[in-house]
Amino acid sequence: MPPRHAVPAARPLHLLALAATLFAAGCSKQPEQAPPPPEVSVVTAVPQAVPLTRQLVGRLSPYRTADVRARVPGILQKRLYEEGTDVSTDQALFQIDPAPLEAASARARAALLSARAVQLNAHAAAERARSLAPQKFVSKADLDAAEAAERSAQAAVAQAQADVTTAQIDLGYARVRSPINGRAGKQRVTEGALVGSGDVTLLTTVDQIDPLYINLSISSGDLDALREEQSAGALNLSQTQDVTVRVLKADGRPYRHVARLDFAAMDVDPSSGSVSLRAILPNPERELLPGAFVSVETDLGSRASAFLIPQQAVQRDKDGAFVMVATPDNVVARKDVAVEPRAVNGHWVITSGIEPNDKVIALGLQSARAGDKVVAKPFQAPNVARAAGQPQPDDARRPAGSQAQN
């Protein structure tokens, strides 16, 4: 029977030593350290006076509109202007057949000559009666009759003269002229048509489109709120003639000329609950046309104390617009704010909700949660143009309260 091999006694000792080494190594690890607070860029809220503007929708209308009508009856012979072109005051636009009017003028002149002849005879007879009356060669009744005939003849001459003037005026109306400077529209009646017979026939329309009127309206409730804020000292509303109106083109760029308000109604339209406004807009290039709807920005005055906060700092959720601020202890806090629906040089206008010297977080919002610690650094404008306060093309078109893009 072969001898049994003895189990080495050193193997259990090696396993125990390895386990002890691993245990010691595990006990020597240091606990993980918490990450440092995230960095955020903040803007110091400084109250300042900002323009008080409202975006409204208006409709353009001519400054003056004149209906060109036939003022005498006759056959329309000719159109004397190009449709859709500018015409000047007293420029001839249409020709009505003048022949009947010339004949009427000739009859009136002949009647005037006849009346003058009768008046000369009546005057001579009256003179003879007056010269013979002192010698009692004519009676008092004959003298009175002669003088009455003289006066009647004078009146007939005056009437005949008036008839001549009327005939000349009617003859002048045969050439229909523009009453104002403006742009003449299309011809309403064709040549050969009888016009002005029993009715004042409309021939065309002339519109003065430089300047133009902008017809606007503002909610009576909004207007009352503005007046209450003015009474409280929060607003300074301009006088009607000092309110400026800027027309915005379809791409958001302002029209080159600025309008001014010239009329504000003193009553509220019961059908719409709004107050009518009207502005005068220069249009020397005739670029804008009557009848078009336009978006406008009206400068109604200034807000005495508001905050301009970068657009990316303002967020919105189901509860409304809000900003995140860094407290003096560098802890993030939420503040609900009231935002005007407009942008000024890349900033939203905050009217309430924050206090002077609040540190509003403009960048780093994705890592700034309410109650967290942060490291606050001054905000740097993203480009030179915005830092210099120059308006950006897209500022006015970004909706108020849009989510910040970081």
Side-chain angles (χ1 to χ4, degrees):
M1 184 176 184
R4 293 183 178 177
H5 297 286
V7 179
R11 180 173 296 180
L13 297 177
H14 290 165
L15 294 175
L16 292 174
L18 179 60
T21 303
L22 294 176
F23 179 77
C27 293
S28 63
K29 284 187 177 180
Q30 298 294 329
E32 292 185 1
Q33 295 183 352
E39 290 186 357
V40 294
S41 297
V42 298
V43 175
T44 302
V46 179
Q48 57 188 295
V50 297
L52 176 65
T53 65
R54 286 291 183 272
Q55 287 196 351
L56 305 172
V57 175
R59 189 170 188 179
L60 302 177
S61 64
Y63 184 70
R64 289 190 296 175
T65 297
D67 290 340
V68 180
R69 299 180 180 270
R71 302 174 69 174
V72 292
I75 302 298
L76 187 64
Q77 286 186 330
K78 188 186 300 184
R79 172 171 52 84
L80 305 176
Y81 74 100
E82 291 293 330
E83 294 172 298
T85 60
D86 291 333
V87 297
S88 57
T89 303
D90 290 333
Q91 179 179 334
L93 303 181
F94 296 94
Q95 178 64 56
I96 297 174
D97 183 10
L101 301 172
E102 289 173 347
S105 178
R107 286 195 301 270
R109 289 196 300 271
L112 175 61
L113 293 176
S114 176
R116 283 175 175 171
V118 171
Q119 188 265 340
L120 288 175
N121 288 335
H123 176 68
E127 284 295 317
R128 284 194 299 270
R130 280 190 287 269
S131 64
L132 296 175
Q135 292 82 20
K136 305 295 184 180
F137 292 132
V138 295
S139 66
K140 176 64 172 167
D142 291 338
L143 176 61
D144 291 342
E147 290 181 339
E150 180 185 30
R151 289 192 294 269
S152 296
Q154 290 174 345
V157 169
Q159 182 176 353
Q161 182 64 59
D163 291 342
V164 169
T165 302
T166 300
Q168 290 294 330
I169 292 174
D170 289 344
L171 181 59
Y173 287 156
R175 210 164 174 84
V176 184
R177 302 177 181 277
S178 173
I180 61 172
N181 293 325
R183 182 161 294 176
K186 66 180 181 180
Q187 180 180 357
R188 301 295 183 92
V189 180
T190 60
E191 291 81 358
L194 176 63
V195 298
S197 179
D199 190 14
V200 184
T201 308
L202 177 63
L203 302 179
T204 190
T205 302
V206 178
D207 294 327
Q208 182 177 344
I209 60 176
D210 178 32
L212 285 171
Y213 278 135
I214 310 176
N215 297 301
L216 309 164
S217 62
I218 185 172
S219 165
S220 60
D222 193 7
L223 191 58
D224 289 341
L226 293 175
R227 288 171 175 167
E228 287 178 3
E229 289 191 77
Q230 183 183 33
S231 300
L235 297 180
N236 293 316
L237 296 179
S238 301
Q239 297 295 323
T240 299
Q241 65 274 12
D242 297 328
V243 174
T244 59
V245 179
R246 290 184 299 275
V247 174
L248 302 178
K249 296 183 178 180
D251 58 2
R253 293 183 296 115
Y255 182 57
R256 70 192 70 184
H257 301 291
V258 177
R260 286 196 175 275
L261 212 63
D262 79 315
F263 169 77
M266 301 302 295
D267 57 346
V268 177
D269 185 351
S271 62
S272 62
S274 59
V275 176
S276 298
L277 308 173
R278 190 182 66 190
I280 298 179
L281 174 67
N283 189 36
E285 298 85 6
R286 274 68 168 180
E287 183 177 345
L288 301 178
L289 297 177
F293 287 95
V294 291
S295 297
V296 300
E297 279 189 350
T298 56
D299 288 337
L300 302 177
S302 62
R303 187 173 290 279
S305 181
F307 302 92
L308 293 179
I309 301 300
Q311 288 179 308
Q312 62 267 36
V314 180
Q315 303 178 87
R316 183 176 289 273
D317 60 12
K318 62 182 179 62
D319 295 324
F322 66 94
V323 296
M324 307 300 287
V325 300
T327 66
D329 297 331
N330 287 330
V331 175
V332 178
R334 168 178 169 146
K335 287 195 173 184
D336 296 327
V337 294
V339 184
E340 287 197 355
R342 65 189 181 96
V344 177
N345 297 330
H347 295 70
W348 293 125
V349 179
I350 307 298
T351 58
S352 64
I354 56 178
E355 301 295 332
N357 299 319
D358 274 352
K359 305 297 182 182
V360 180
I361 300 175
L363 292 178
L365 287 167
Q366 72 277 7
S367 57
R369 295 180 177 83
D372 290 351
K373 279 275 192 177
V374 290
V375 177
K377 292 188 175 182
F379 172 74
Q380 298 295 329
N383 57 60
V384 176
R386 183 163 292 171
Q390 299 178 9
Q392 301 299 303
D394 61 339
D395 283 348
R397 299 195 299 273
R398 187 180 301 178
S402 59
Q403 292 293 332
Q405 302 296 323
N406 294 310

